[in-house]
């Protein structure tokens, strides 16, 4: 016989205060879970068959643990579904309910926002580890408490429901502030202070990490040329107290002391060997973060590779025979046979992935402790190698990792995806603040580029985080100059009126270079990197790029220098002028020879930047793109300087005196910075952020207008040549499910055009009875998983009318809590007081929880639109409201459901169609 439904009453009918508190806690906490799980799992009962494959290794699960039964060959294969039948590990653990609770379930609780029995110090210790023994012991010691068990996993590419997260946090705050005594006020105050404590801690830790990277990579970079006799840990600048050369610094050619080898040959050999060894060491570290995502995970809503044929061969249609002929298991097996998606969480800059995460999607383990440590160490090696890459972009990823780990200290942020992403926005900004020494630029970067949801409260906290990072970096003094900026230049000569035209021209050149770099990167990725051996062995590509870089860069001073020092030299004004023609401060007679040297350096640096971007090492594009633009800008500046001196008799150059020093009329360093900013704009499409960063680097109010003018023109030109920024290119090439909130496509369809047909296995019909067998619910939930809709949902229908919706993760969690699925009926009514008038039976009043009551998991008011709703309205709902899915109605009756990833795929296909139309 089915299990008797003995208690379906509202919370007001319970006399037990503890039961009320327990039910309230179920209702007031969010069900969202962190993207980088750290806690270990313990089974509370016999697991279902769908999770038996995972139960044996549950004690060692951490943020990089495999969660899928079938390995795809990588050392860190991400897994979300077992080999036999799909399912994810769900022991009977605490559920942080994100659905809309009703007022009938709200009771004042004396427990406030406390989570379990852990105090703050315990949470701090556990947050800094990968799950650790401490958390396991605390969970084992509280077996009797259902609330001690936290569900801390999250599936790949699942999406955040911002609306439910905000509602859940509102009820949490309401429950917290229901206490009016002193303890309640203190807890409420501490709850409000948690955000400020977090951002301050994140700012300090980001500055410490930046200090470690800066000081370490400088020493390793200089070791390619020699060592310091006063201590091998000292860089050349520290060893020589700022002088260019000194006796304490010994070159490798002098250390070898071989008469058979010339000084140049010895230095050249050590330089090339150092570049190759450091680059390959960085790559080997990066390859340890390999993650394999089987195509079966999200094929129903997203194509992992837009360039491959991954269309389902047998999609279900309205024909019942077709539905019966292809079972969900068969579709799952077909999807598994397709090539998986592979990515390395420590490779590249990480800014594109941070954008995807902040937009509401989950990249498993991308912001964890493992990625943080490996990327920091690999970044030191890659920058020290001398490759044409920068460390400023990876600072954004590293800072975001620090923010994600720090969020684990407070359950307010660790259990709520929406709240945590507010902290991650501030973290990303602190990365830019320490990279350029520009706290205001960091705030604008987060606002303009990476953040998807940026309320005014987050703006102020972001500013506070950047200031904390900048002050900490000022105290640490990584550059030994008592400055926090990457480099500092001062222009004492104001620009002339005739230079406005040349500044505009420089902006055009920067925009063209940025757009061409994106096109060249796409061509290189689709040709050279698709060679079988290169694609199979990323270390080989790194070896080839490092070898070419070492062989070519040694002979040109401007390609041999570190990118930051080179950019500083290009942007610096001239105080003294050399008659020999060496350096960037020549007299008028030697300007042509300097132009030739700059042109050679520009060609080499631009080519190396194209082939280096995208290799499997931590690599940023900010400063390399600025260096390429700076070389072009310095070339333009010297050209304008030469023209002004030779044609000073013309009225337009009337202020230039040929007898004076060349820098008295035109300052080429200004052109270098204008072109550097313009090129970076062409690559990243940043505008206001870059103008402020350049201003913070120079501190010159007089040159804000040239900087802004060049950036403005570059943005227009780059958009005309290449609509995508480098981050958009990476998002498209990796097929990340990112819905751009800055560029709206031109829609010509309605919501009904993308709504899949209503299927019986995707709905729960309670027209006849609200008691549904658990076996039937399990079949529907497994069907969703086999289709890759891990974070989808089942609509609840009554006489054709939509009356509620239960998310798939919550349904699976509720089913896993049942003792006997085969003989259990589950209440699926969205009415909280549906059974409030039933008579009590037996010891009912002693029972505070009935696992067969699924009412708390149901969203009784899902957002629904009519099939004739314009697609622009759908776009606004997904972007502005942050919905996970939208229910579709036809004449008031339920017609289907559209998931956010389905809409993202539709937008991508629409953009691809528009590109093909323009091309033809």
């Amino acid at each position: 016989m089915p299990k008797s439904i003995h208690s379906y009453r509202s919370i007001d009918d319970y006399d037990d205060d503890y039961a009320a508190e327990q039910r309230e806690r179920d209702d007031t906490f969010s069900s969202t879970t962190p993207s980088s799980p750290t806690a270990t799992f313990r089974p509370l009962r016999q697991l279902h068959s769908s999770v038996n494959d995972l139960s044996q290794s549950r004690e060692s699960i951490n943020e990089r643990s495999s969660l899928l039964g079938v390995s795809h060959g990588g050392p860190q294969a991400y897994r979300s579904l077992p080999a036999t039948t799909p399912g994810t590990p769900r022991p009977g653990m605490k559920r942080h309910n994100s659905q809309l609770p009703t007022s009938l379930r709200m009771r004042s609780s004396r427990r406030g926002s406390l989570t379990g029995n852990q105090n703050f110090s315990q949470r701090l210790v556990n947050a800094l580890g990968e799950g650790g023994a401490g958390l396991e012991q605390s969970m084992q010691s509280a077996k009797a408490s259902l609330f001690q068990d936290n569900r801390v996993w999250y599936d790949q590419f699942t999406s955040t429901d911002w609306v439910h997260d905000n509602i859940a946090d509102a009820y949490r705050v309401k429950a917290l502030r229901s206490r009016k005594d002193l303890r309640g006020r203190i807890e409420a105050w501490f709850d409000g202070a948690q955000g400020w404590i977090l951002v301050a801690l994140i700012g300090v830790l980001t500055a410490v990490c930046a200090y470690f990277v800066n000081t370490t990579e400088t020493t390793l970079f200089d070791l390619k040329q020699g060592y310091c006799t006063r201590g091998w840990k000292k860089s050349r600048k520290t060893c020589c107290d700022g002088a260019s050369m000194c006796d304490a610094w010994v070159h490798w050619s002098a250390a070898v002391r071989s008469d058979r080898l010339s000084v140049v040959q010895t230095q050249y050999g050590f330089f090339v060997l150092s570049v190759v060894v450091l680059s390959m060491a960085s790559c080997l570290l990066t390859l340890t973060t390999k993650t394999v995502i089987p195509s079966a995970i999200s094929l129903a809503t997203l194509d992992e590779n837009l360039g491959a044929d991954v269309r389902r061969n047998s999609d279900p249609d309205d024909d019942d025979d077709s539905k019966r002929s292809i079972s969900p298991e068969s579709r799952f097996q077909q999807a598994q046979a397709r090539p998986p998606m592979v990515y390395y969480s420590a490779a590249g800059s990480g800014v594109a992935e941070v954008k995807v995460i902040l937009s509401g999607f989950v990249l498993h383990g991308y912001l964890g402790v493992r990625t943080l440590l490996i990327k920091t160490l690999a970044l030191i090696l890659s920058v020290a190698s001398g490759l044409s890459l920068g460390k400023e972009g990876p600072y954004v990823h590293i800072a975001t990792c620090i923010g994600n780990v720090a969020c684990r200290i407070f359950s307010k942020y660790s259990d709520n995806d929406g709240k945590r992403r507010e902290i991650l926005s501030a973290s990303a900004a602190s990365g830019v603040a320490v990279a350029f020494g520009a706290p205001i630029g960091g705030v604008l970067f987060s606002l303009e580029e990476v953040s998807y949801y940026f309320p005014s409260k987050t703006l102020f906290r972001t500013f506070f985080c950047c200031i904390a990072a900048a002050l900490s970096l000022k105290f640490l003094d990584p550059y030994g100059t008592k400055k926090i900026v990457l480099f500092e230049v001062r222009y004492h000569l104001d620009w002339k009126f005739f230079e406005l035209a040349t500044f505009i021209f420089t902006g055009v050149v920067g925009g063209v270079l940025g757009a061409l770099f994106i096109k060249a990167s796409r061509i290189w990725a689709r040709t050279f990197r698709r060679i079988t051996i290169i694609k199979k062995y990323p270390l080989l590509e790194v070896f080839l790029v490092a070898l070419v870089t070492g062989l070519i860069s040694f002979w040109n001073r401007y390609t041999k220098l570190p990118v930051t020092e080179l950019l500083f030299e290009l942007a610096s004004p001239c105080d003294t002028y050399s008659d020999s023609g060496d350096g960037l401060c020549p007299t008028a007679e030697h300007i042509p020879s300097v132009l030739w040297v700059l042109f050679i350096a520009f060609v080499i640096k631009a080519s190396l930047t194209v082939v280096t971007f995208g290799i499997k090492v931590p690599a940023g594009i900010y400063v390399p793109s600025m260096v390429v633009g700076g070389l072009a800008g310095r070339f333009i500046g010297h050209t304008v300087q030469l023209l002004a001196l030779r044609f000073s008799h013309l009225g337009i150059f009337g202020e230039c005196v040929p007898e004076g020093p060349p820098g008295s009329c035109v300052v080429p360093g200004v052109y270098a910075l204008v072109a550097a900013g313009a090129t970076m704009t062409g690559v990243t499409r940043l505008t206001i952020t870059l103008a402020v960063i350049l201003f913070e680097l120079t501190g010159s109010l007089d040159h804000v207008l040239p900087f802004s003018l060049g950036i403005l023109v570059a943005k227009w030109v780059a958009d005309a040549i290449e609509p995508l920024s480098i981050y958009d290119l990476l998002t498209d090439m990796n097929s990340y499910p990112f819905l751009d909130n800055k560029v709206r496509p031109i829609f010509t369809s309605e919501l009904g055009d993308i709504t899949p047909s209503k299927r019986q296995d995707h709905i729960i019909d309670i027209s006849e009875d609200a008691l549904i067998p658990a076996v039937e619910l399990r079949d529907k939930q497994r069907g969703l998983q086999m289709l890759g809709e891990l974070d989808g949902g089942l609509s609840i229908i009554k006489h054709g009318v939509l009356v509620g919706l239960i998310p798939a993760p919550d349904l699976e969690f509720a089913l896993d809590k049942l003792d006997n699925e085969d003989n259990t009926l589950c209440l699926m009514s969205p009415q909280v007081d549906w059974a409030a008038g039933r008579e009590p039976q037996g010891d009912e009043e002693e029972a505070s929880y009935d696992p067969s009551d699924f009412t708390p998991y149901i969203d009784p008011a899902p957002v629904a639109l009519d099939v004739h709703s314009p697609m622009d309205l759908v776009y606004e709902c997904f972007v502005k409201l942050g919905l996970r899915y939208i229910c579709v109605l036809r004449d008031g009756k339920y017609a289907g459901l559209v998931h956010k990833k389905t809409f993202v795929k539709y937008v991508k296909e629409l953009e691809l169609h528009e590109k093909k139309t323009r091309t033809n």
Side-chain angles (χ1 to χ4, degrees), residues 513-708:
L513 290 176
L516 292 180
F517 171 79
I518 297 173
K519 290 183 176 295
S521 298
R522 181 192 291 112
I523 294 173
W524 183 258
R526 292 180 176 177
T527 54
F528 180 78
R529 290 202 178 102
R530 287 192 177 180
I531 299 175
T532 304
I533 189 171
I534 297 297
K535 187 175 182 179
K536 188 176 181 180
Y537 302 103
L539 186 63
L540 176 61
E541 181 186 7
V542 174
F543 169 76
L544 295 176
V545 172
L547 182 62
V548 172
T549 301
L551 293 174
I552 296 178
S553 300
F554 181 81
W555 306 105
N556 190 299
R557 179 178 182 274
Y558 302 119
T559 58
K560 186 179 179 181
L561 283 174
V563 287
T564 53
E565 292 186 20
L566 175 58
L567 186 58
F568 174 67
E569 283 200 19
L570 293 173
S572 298
C574 294
D575 296 327
T576 58
Y577 296 88
S578 172
D579 293 331
S580 63
D582 297 333
L584 295 178
C585 296
T587 57
E589 295 77 14
H590 295 91
I591 288 179
S593 61
V594 173
L595 291 177
W596 175 250
V597 175
L598 287 173
F599 177 75
I600 296 298
F602 167 76
V603 173
I604 294 175
K605 208 69 180 176
S607 302
L608 290 179
T609 303
V610 171
V611 300
T612 303
F613 182 77
I615 63 176
K616 297 303 181 287
V617 297
I621 195 59
Y622 290 157
V623 173
S625 65
M626 294 179 73
V627 165
V628 173
L631 288 168
R634 191 82 185 195
F635 185 92
I636 296 173
H638 282 297
T639 303
V640 175
Q641 187 182 61
L642 183 62
L643 293 176
L645 293 176
R646 290 188 177 179
F647 301 97
S648 59
H649 59 279
L650 298 178
I652 191 174
F653 302 120
E655 300 180 15
C656 298
V657 180
E659 294 78 14
S664 61
C665 179
V666 175
V667 182
V670 175
Y671 289 84
L673 265 189
V674 171
T679 305
M680 186 174 168
T681 296
V683 172
T684 65
R685 308 302 158 88
L686 293 172
T687 52
I688 304 174
T689 301
L690 264 180
V692 173
I693 288 177
L694 293 178
F695 164 67
E696 292 185 272
L697 288 177
T698 61
S700 175
L701 283 172
D702 295 332
H703 292 84
V704 171
L705 182 59
F707 297 152
S708 303

Side-chain angles (χ1 to χ4, degrees), residues 50 137 415 544 555 680-681 901 920:
S50 62
Q137 293 174 1
D415 295 337
L544 295 176
W555 306 105
M680 186 174 168
T681 296
K901 286 185 285 189
N920 297 333

Side-chain angles (χ1 to χ4, degrees), residues 144-208:
S145 174
L146 176 65
F147 302 115
Q148 186 65 23
D149 304 309
N150 291 306
R151 185 178 64 170
V152 293
W153 63 275
Y154 215 125
D155 287 306
Q156 187 68 270
F157 283 161
T158 47
S159 53
T160 301
D161 198 322
W162 300 85
V163 173
H164 285 169
D165 283 348
N166 291 335
I167 294 174
D169 187 68
Y171 277 94
R172 183 194 63 82
V173 174
K174 185 184 297 184
L176 180 65
R177 295 181 179 177
S178 62
R179 293 189 54 174
K180 302 302 182 182
D181 57 351
L182 179 60
R183 180 179 176 182
R185 293 177 184 272
I186 293 176
E187 289 177 354
W189 175 86
F190 180 70
D191 181 77
Q194 288 178 6
W196 300 101
I197 295 174
L198 269 184
V199 295
L201 178 63
I202 292 167
V204 173
L205 294 178
T206 302
V208 172

